[in-house]
Amino acid sequence: MAIVIIGAGSTVFTRMLVSDLMQDAATRDIDLRLVDTDPGRLALATALCRQLVAEVGNAGAQVTAYLDRRQALPGATYVINTILVGGRPGIEADLLIPAKYGITQTVGDTLGIGGISRGLRTIPEILRIARDIEELAPDALFLNYTNPMSMVVMALETATGARHFGLCHSIVNTADELAGYLDVPVADLVWEAAGVNHMAWFTRLESQGLDLYPSLFALPASDPGLVAGDGVRFELMRYFGYFCSESSKHTAEYFSYFLPHDGETERLRIPVGRERLDALDQQQAEHDALAGRLGGVQSLLTEPSNEYAPALIAALESGRPYTFHPNVANQSADGVLIGNLPAEAAVEVACTVRNGAVSLDRVPDLPPGPAALNRQAVAVQQLTVQAVLHHDLDLVHQAALVDPQVSAILKPDQAVALVDELLAAHGPSLPDLRRRRLIAVAPPNTLTHASRKGNAP
């Protein structure tokens, strides 16, 4: 069994995935092929994984490093993708340029103007990876972790024939958080969730046959300290009736209700400013710390994680049953999975592994309010994906104009100027984009509005 990790230089994440693989008998004896374009990071990831193999005393596993993914792909069984196109400079541009226009973001990698920008430079490279897989490892299963998840999955489904799942831990992490909020053992929590990535909704929340939503609604008043750092999701639940699957930090930037309004960042304790860039610095520090531990006596094995890829691979290889929530095309062979979302959407739904095969099951329609919020997100995703696939600059501008936060803060000419500045910053990473129909030239001096106080990273 050959497992290829593309973007293996993300050493903290690679360590977790490989640690999980090494601790399961079904995935211990693997041909592990690590791919990264950074020789230094690749060398560290390779040494780290070889130490993990040695720790479990596994002579049956082998670890090989590749700078060229095409050399790693032939005969692959699984391909795990964790690439970051543009690196830290790309993230900084996605945060700092919109901040000049008064657009505050907390993460900027999934939805909103940051998600659009990242999608434009990420989708083309992932499509190239998928086409390499089709050519060199046509039977491989492509497991994508790279954001913007929904856009990537939508593009893969539209433009390639590669077998794929988009994997994100937001739903299962939220289930753990809800169990903690409600003081219920996570094993006793009965829940169902579905929607789009980073905006799935817990439509069922029970324990021992009791509906737990009344208790969850009461928490902000009965125990405000417990949920103080999750104010955005509790606020959404207050008005839309259901709990959302991504953290409040992420969720805050997906709508126009929070960040554009003075006082809401303080009231809801939304981390803004340089918090995202500081987190990147912390990740680099963790990477450097791993380098210092290689060859030492400390174990590199980690506690088994809740990441889907290792568990999914183990279930497929062993025949064990396994339920997970991947991102897949809403339009399946048996019909639309979520009836009140567009067929073209990428949706996050429960899937089950049985006897080495994955079954996709239709789920009930989402409640009307959450479904409407999902359709709003899907509209921006569709415009961005179609912009990439058809090299259409008009659709990029329209994606920004449809985004809730951009449209709440900027006039159309300002939104166009923001997009054009992001395109200029990312340059060679982007597809060739051309105007197809519109003449949306921003007039001079579009930045006449004041930046929002205290929100620029």
Side-chain angles (χ1 to χ4, degrees):
M1 177 175 51
I3 299 177
V4 179
I5 301 179
I6 300 177
S10 302
T11 49
V12 175
F13 195 62
T14 295
R15 173 197 181 190
M16 180 169 54
L17 294 180
V18 176
S19 177
D20 283 1
L21 291 168
M22 287 296 102
Q23 295 179 79
D24 193 303
T27 55
R28 190 169 294 160
D29 296 323
I30 58 174
D31 172 7
L32 182 62
R33 307 172 187 177
L34 306 178
V35 181
D36 204 278
T37 57
D38 184 321
R41 282 183 166 269
L42 180 60
L44 175 58
T46 304
L48 181 152
C49 290
R50 287 175 177 162
Q51 185 167 327
L52 285 169
V53 169
E55 276 197 52
V56 297
N58 184 18
Q62 58 182 357
V63 180
T64 314
Y66 299 86
L67 291 168
D68 182 350
R69 66 172 178 259
R70 289 182 60 85
Q71 295 178 2
L73 285 172
T77 318
Y78 303 94
V79 180
I80 301 173
N81 175 59
T82 67
I83 65 168
L84 173 60
V85 179
R88 184 192 175 103
I91 294 173
E92 289 181 343
D94 288 346
L95 294 172
L96 299 178
I97 292 173
K100 291 168 50 181
Y101 290 77
I103 303 291
T104 300
Q105 298 174 93
T106 52
V107 181
D109 70 353
T110 302
L111 296 170
I113 189 63
I116 294 168
S117 181
R118 182 179 284 209
L120 292 174
R121 65 181 186 274
T122 300
I123 292 170
E125 183 60 23
I126 290 183
L127 293 181
R128 286 189 283 269
I129 293 172
R131 288 165 185 148
D132 284 347
I133 293 171
E134 288 183 279
E135 176 190 349
L136 300 170
D139 297 325
L141 179 60
F142 185 30
L143 303 176
N144 176 66
Y145 272 104
T146 294
N147 283 322
M149 180 63 70
S150 293
M151 295 182 195
V152 167
V153 170
M154 199 181 295
L156 285 169
E157 186 67 21
T158 303
T160 79
R163 298 168 56 229
H164 61 91
F165 288 116
L167 303 183
C168 175
H169 51 227
S170 64
I171 285 181
V172 67
N173 279 0
T174 298
D176 289 345
E177 290 166 342
L178 288 170
Y181 289 155
L182 295 162
D183 197 22
V184 173
V186 69
D188 294 343
L189 196 67
V190 178
W191 52 271
E192 295 174 359
V196 301
N197 182 239
H198 286 198
M199 203 188 295
W201 305 91
F202 280 73
T203 55
R204 181 186 182 193
L205 196 60
E206 299 175 359
S207 179
Q208 300 180 352
L210 178 68
D211 180 10
L212 296 178
Y213 260 112
S215 298
L216 194 63
F217 273 105
L219 273 181
S222 64
D223 195 349
L226 179 66
V227 301
D230 214 353
V232 170
R233 288 198 288 184
F234 277 91
E235 191 85 346
L236 272 182
M237 184 181 68
R238 177 183 179 189
Y239 292 102
F240 287 89
Y242 297 87
F243 206 76
C244 187
S245 67
E246 189 45 80
S247 66
S248 283
K249 178 176 71 175
H250 273 273
T251 302
E253 64 186 3
Y254 299 161
F255 306 101
S256 58
Y257 314 129
F258 308 113
L259 295 174
H261 301 286
D262 292 337
E264 288 299 270
T265 56
E266 292 80 9
R267 182 177 74 87
L268 297 171
R269 301 190 185 182
I270 304 169
V272 294
R274 294 194 59 88
E275 194 271 351
R276 171 60 170 156
L277 300 180
D278 291 343
L280 293 177
D281 293 336
Q282 178 61 35
Q283 291 172 12
Q284 181 62 45
E286 292 175 7
H287 169 89
D288 296 340
L290 277 177
R293 291 176 59 184
L294 289 179
V297 296
Q298 283 186 301
S299 172
L300 288 177
L301 289 170
T302 61
E303 288 294 322
S305 75
N306 59 9
E307 290 298 339
Y308 288 143
L312 171 61
I313 294 171
L316 290 171
E317 292 298 319
S318 68
R320 298 195 300 255
Y322 177 62
T323 298
F324 67 119
H325 288 72
N327 292 268
V328 296
N330 196 25
Q331 180 67 61
S332 73
D334 297 322
V336 173
L337 298 175
I338 302 179
N340 55 351
L341 294 186
E344 300 81 9
V347 295
E348 208 165 44
V349 295
C351 296
T352 303
V353 179
R354 298 183 182 92
N355 300 318
V358 180
S359 63
L360 304 176
D361 301 322
R362 296 184 66 180
V363 299
D365 284 359
L366 293 174
L373 293 179
N374 278 178
R375 288 194 296 269
Q376 186 179 52
V378 169
V380 177
Q381 294 161 0
Q382 287 177 303
L383 287 166
T384 306
V385 171
Q386 291 301 313
V388 173
L389 297 182
H390 298 290
H391 301 272
D392 193 326
L393 180 59
D394 296 341
L395 297 182
V396 182
H397 289 144
Q398 290 165 17
L401 290 165
V402 171
D403 174 70
Q405 197 179 174
V406 171
S407 61
I409 294 174
L410 301 183
K411 297 183 296 182
D413 62 322
Q414 296 168 331
V416 168
L418 165 56
V419 168
D420 290 346
E421 190 169 345
L422 281 168
L423 297 181
H426 292 305
S429 299
L430 301 175
D432 180 27
L433 297 166
R434 303 177 183 179
R435 296 201 185 283
R436 301 297 178 184
R437 178 178 177 85
L438 306 179
I439 303 174
V441 180
N445 302 319
T446 55
L447 265 178
T448 55
H449 63 291
S451 295
R452 307 192 73 81
K453 295 181 291 184
N455 288 344

